Amino acid sequence: FFFQAEDGIRDFCLSRGLGDVYKRQLNELQAQNQQLKEQAQLITDLQEEITDLRELIIQEDEQKQSLEQNHQSEIDNLKSQFNILEAQFCLLYTSDAADDLHCVDLGG
């Protein structure tokens, strides 16, 4: 079999039999199959990482809610203590004379 080049010069080219073609196709298919297996493994690994991250997010949300509840309890406790202290130090005027500066000795 001769190959005719554009410039008219013929080069001798051995024909590759069908066996070589099939071998080449088989090698290409095996390489593609290996690539698909590697990609499938990467996808599986990523799915596992996503699942792990979702679990971490759920745990962090639960911890956050617990802390918020604890802080709210502390705030309510402090408000209650403040109200008790405020009630103890409340000044009460029982006389109209206390409003009149001429009738009350202000210590001066």
Side-chain angles (χ1 to χ4, degrees):
F1 178 79
F2 288 94
F3 176 74
Q4 179 85 26
E6 289 181 17
D7 60 3
I9 300 173
R10 293 184 181 191
D11 289 333
F12 180 73
C13 180
L14 288 176
S15 173
R16 296 175 63 164
L18 286 179
D20 291 338
V21 173
Y22 293 142
K23 286 179 189 176
R24 186 176 67 245
Q25 288 176 348
L26 180 62
N27 290 338
E28 290 173 2
L29 288 175
Q30 287 173 340
Q32 290 174 355
N33 187 34
Q34 183 61 32
Q35 287 176 344
L36 289 174
K37 285 180 181 179
E38 291 171 2
Q39 290 173 352
Q41 185 60 47
L42 286 174
I43 289 170
T44 301
D45 293 345
L46 288 174
Q47 288 173 332
E48 289 174 1
E49 286 184 41
I50 289 170
T51 300
D52 292 344
L53 289 173
R54 284 183 179 156
E55 290 175 5
L56 283 174
I57 289 171
I58 290 170
Q59 290 174 359
E60 287 180 0
D61 284 345
E62 290 172 351
Q63 290 175 351
K64 180 181 174 187
Q65 289 175 356
S66 176
L67 287 173
E68 287 174 352
Q69 289 172 352
N70 289 343
H71 288 155
Q72 188 59 46
S73 296
E74 290 176 17
I75 289 170
D76 292 342
N77 187 23
L78 289 173
K79 283 181 180 179
S80 176
Q81 290 177 6
F82 177 78
N83 289 337
I84 291 170
L85 290 173
E86 187 177 44
Q88 290 176 355
F89 292 104
C90 180
L91 298 176
L92 178 63
Y93 292 99
T94 58
S95 170
D96 289 336
D99 293 333
D100 188 357
L101 294 178
H102 297 292
C103 301
V104 177
D105 182 14
L106 296 176

